[in-house]
Amino acid sequence: MQLALYEKYDLRLPRYTSYPTAPHFHDAINGKVFANWLGELNPLQPLSLYLHVPYCEEMCWFCGCNTKITKHYKPVGTYVAALLTEIKNTLGKLDPTHRFTVSHIHFGGGSPTILKADDLRTIMGAIRKKVDILPTAEVAIEMDPRTANDDLMDAMIECGFNRASIGVQDFNADVQRAVNRVQSYDLVRDVISRLRHRGLRGINVDLMYGLPNQTVQSIRQTVDQTATLCPDRLSVFGYAHVPWMKKHQNLIPTETLPDTQDRWAQYEEIQNRLAYHRYVAIGLDHFAHQADPMATALYNGKLHRNFQGYTTDRAEALIGFGPSAISSLPQGYAQNDPALARWQRAVEGGDCAVEKGVAVSNEDRLRRDIINELMCNLSVDVAKICATHGTSADRFAPELNRIRAMTNDNIVEVNSTHIKLTNTGRPLVRAVCAVFDTYLNHAHGRHSQAV
């Protein structure tokens, strides 16, 4: 892509893991509203659960997550006790006349591998007391290879985990030191080997570009090293430098970050090397083996997107636990209080710890479906989506005209109401989605770069 074209469209835009996006959440959506939403859920539809573990042993300076640093387990143990209470109270607000099922569970953080094995068992046991986990459910956990141990891995297998997401980011020692995350290739290879030896076959690896001291050559080496580990899926994220939101990112000197041209070159190198290693590109920033369920979902038009990024999870209701966790229900979005102490007080008081959220309108659902199709499949037939919502595509004439103008830059191809991203336009899909975002001009937050 020509640099001028990149700079033209590389605006600071939402990642569209929801619509409306998080900057538009407000405090009219509180614990009482959320409890009512839970009571209205359809018991015939499986649930998805997200559990946030907001602790790490060390702070990675690139981190944009809600996490705290601790060298002692006591605060983690206290947190687990509160999390168990939240699981009991929140799932207790579902229709009590039915037994709900769960099709997807994801432990994120922070670093869930900071948990003791017995605490992981206890958390999964508390979930099973309230709901039934389907035999086909994906049960996943994010892993810091530096804190993964055999006891935890044994507990994972015992509890039915079948997917692990390994945080790598970059194998280059200079880059690792610059972001305060030092871990060797041998360590990561050993952790993956031990997981596979126990029968866990679903392995994801997370990589990043745009980090301090990264070069195209170092990225190429990291991707090639990663390919030798044979992960099933990869997530490749551009580092979002947002020190106004995450103060620890001030520890990364701005002058060590790649400029716009270098950042784009790194992105291209990752795309090319993963294609060389026969990974299928999934949407904007994920990759998978051809036989992986995520690639199958892409081929079948069943790929979805939520707060964890691209997913095969099609549950209509995702319930989040822990501070800052976001729930996505048919009625709207609800986010827990990100402040650990306030979240804990609410939970221990028997309340849902929701701080803010947004109810979705029919208009939001229509635009969300269009945006989701673009983000997942890089194409959308606006008229077809409109028909499923009982309306005409004529209402989107202004948006379609704006997108047709992008054909001059070879970003999209437009045939009547059908929009398709070109290979040139793939990395700028968020810019195309933004055309359908009626909230964007009213955003109160600041977003990361589109690439």
Side-chain angles (χ1 to χ4, degrees):
M1 182 188 298
Q2 296 178 354
L3 182 59
L5 188 60
Y6 174 91
E7 291 175 334
K8 177 180 178 179
Y9 288 100
D10 188 38
L11 309 175
R12 292 194 176 271
L13 298 168
R15 294 188 178 275
Y16 292 114
T17 53
S18 70
Y19 184 81
T21 55
H24 308 288
F25 293 3
H26 52 79
D27 61 9
I29 305 301
N30 53 30
K32 183 177 180 180
V33 172
F34 180 57
N36 290 336
W37 286 357
L38 290 172
E40 296 168 353
L41 291 179
N42 181 358
L44 300 180
Q45 293 293 326
L47 305 172
S48 177
L49 308 181
Y50 171 77
L51 298 99
H52 188 69
V53 181
Y55 285 101
C56 295
E57 289 188 2
E58 287 187 80
M59 178 63 75
C60 301
W61 295 342
F62 59 77
C63 183
C65 302
N66 179 29
T67 188
K68 291 180 176 292
I69 305 305
T70 181
K71 295 293 186 181
H72 307 284
Y73 196 75
K74 184 177 180 180
V76 181
T78 300
Y79 173 75
V80 169
L83 183 64
L84 294 171
T85 300
E86 184 182 29
I87 291 169
K88 179 181 177 181
N89 291 345
T90 301
L91 295 182
K93 291 177 170 55
L94 300 171
D95 183 347
T97 64
H98 294 84
R99 182 81 173 177
F100 281 72
T101 59
V102 171
S103 60
H104 194 277
I105 298 175
H106 187 99
F107 280 70
S111 297
T113 43
I114 202 171
L115 294 171
K116 288 184 177 179
D118 283 345
D119 279 341
L120 185 64
R121 293 186 181 97
T122 301
I123 293 169
M124 290 298 293
I127 293 171
R128 286 193 167 91
K129 285 181 181 179
K130 305 298 294 185
V131 293
D132 294 325
I133 301 174
L134 294 171
T136 56
E138 181 173 283
V139 185
I141 188 169
E142 297 172 12
M143 300 187 71
D144 182 339
R146 300 170 300 174
T147 56
N149 59 66
D150 287 335
D151 286 345
L152 185 71
M153 293 184 199
D154 289 341
M156 286 167 52
I157 301 304
E158 180 183 324
C159 293
F161 283 81
N162 49 32
R163 185 166 294 279
S165 183
I166 313 295
V168 169
Q169 321 316 339
D170 194 292
F171 280 123
N172 182 273
D174 289 339
V175 176
Q176 290 183 354
R177 284 190 292 268
V179 297
N180 197 41
R181 188 185 177 101
V182 178
Q183 57 187 34
S184 68
Y185 168 82
D186 289 340
L187 171 63
V188 175
R189 181 181 60 186
D190 179 62
V191 168
I192 292 176
S193 176
R194 284 186 283 159
L195 288 169
R196 286 180 170 145
H197 178 73
R198 287 168 168 80
L200 192 146
R201 291 290 175 259
I203 300 293
N204 297 10
V205 166
D206 297 335
L207 300 179
M208 294 184 75
Y209 64 93
L211 292 172
N213 299 334
Q214 273 184 325
T215 66
V216 169
Q217 183 177 359
S218 72
I219 288 249
R220 182 188 305 122
Q221 185 174 5
T222 286
V223 173
D224 290 346
Q225 286 178 291
T226 301
T228 68
L229 304 173
C230 300
D232 304 280
R233 302 175 189 172
L234 297 101
S235 301
V236 180
F237 301 118
Y239 167 58
H241 193 57
V242 288
W244 57 87
M245 293 174 56
K246 300 296 178 179
K247 299 303 183 185
H248 57 265
Q249 290 188 354
N250 284 302
L251 295 168
I252 298 177
T254 303
E255 62 269 19
T256 67
L257 297 174
D259 61 19
T260 299
Q261 186 170 2
D262 289 339
R263 187 180 171 99
W264 167 246
Q266 291 173 10
Y267 174 85
E268 277 196 320
E269 184 65 21
I270 292 174
Q271 295 274 333
N272 293 337
R273 292 310 293 173
L274 286 175
Y276 171 81
H277 291 293
R278 299 185 182 278
Y279 283 94
V280 176
I282 306 289
L284 176 64
D285 49 23
H286 282 45
F287 299 82
H289 276 310
Q290 289 186 353
D292 186 86
M294 184 168 282
T296 302
L298 174 68
Y299 298 144
N300 295 335
K302 301 293 185 182
L303 191 65
H304 191 52
R305 189 163 172 82
N306 63 19
F307 293 103
Q308 283 77 60
Y310 292 102
T311 178
T312 58
D313 177 20
R314 301 289 292 182
E316 293 182 356
L318 184 158
I319 303 175
F321 301 89
S324 79
I326 301 177
S327 298
S328 174
L329 306 184
Q331 305 95 323
Y333 303 102
Q335 183 170 19
N336 282 353
D337 197 317
L340 182 58
R342 292 200 304 263
W343 168 84
Q344 186 171 337
R345 284 196 297 271
V347 166
E348 292 175 348
D351 299 323
C352 293
V354 169
E355 179 200 40
K356 58 185 177 180
V358 63
V360 294
S361 66
N362 288 334
E363 180 73 12
D364 293 334
R365 293 184 179 94
L366 169 58
R367 291 178 180 271
R368 180 174 62 186
D369 285 353
I370 292 172
I371 290 171
N372 192 63
E373 280 291 303
L374 283 167
M375 289 298 298
C376 292
N377 300 316
L378 303 177
S379 66
V380 64
D381 188 335
V382 176
K384 183 177 180 180
I385 296 290
C386 285
T388 65
H389 287 260
T391 189
S392 169
D394 292 343
R395 63 186 298 157
F396 289 111
E399 288 89 344
L400 287 168
N401 283 337
R402 287 174 61 190
I403 289 174
R404 286 190 186 97
M406 295 182 178
T407 61
N408 297 327
D409 292 323
N410 192 31
I411 302 300
V412 294
E413 298 172 355
V414 181
N415 182 7
S416 184
T417 63
H418 187 271
I419 304 166
K420 182 180 179 181
L421 273 293
T422 64
N423 287 334
T424 300
R426 174 189 284 270
L428 298 176
V429 60
R430 289 159 62 190
V432 180
C433 292
V435 174
F436 293 95
D437 185 349
T438 60
Y439 293 86
L440 189 58
N441 291 334
H442 308 290
H444 301 293
R446 296 169 72 179
H447 299 287
S448 62
Q449 288 174 273
V451 176

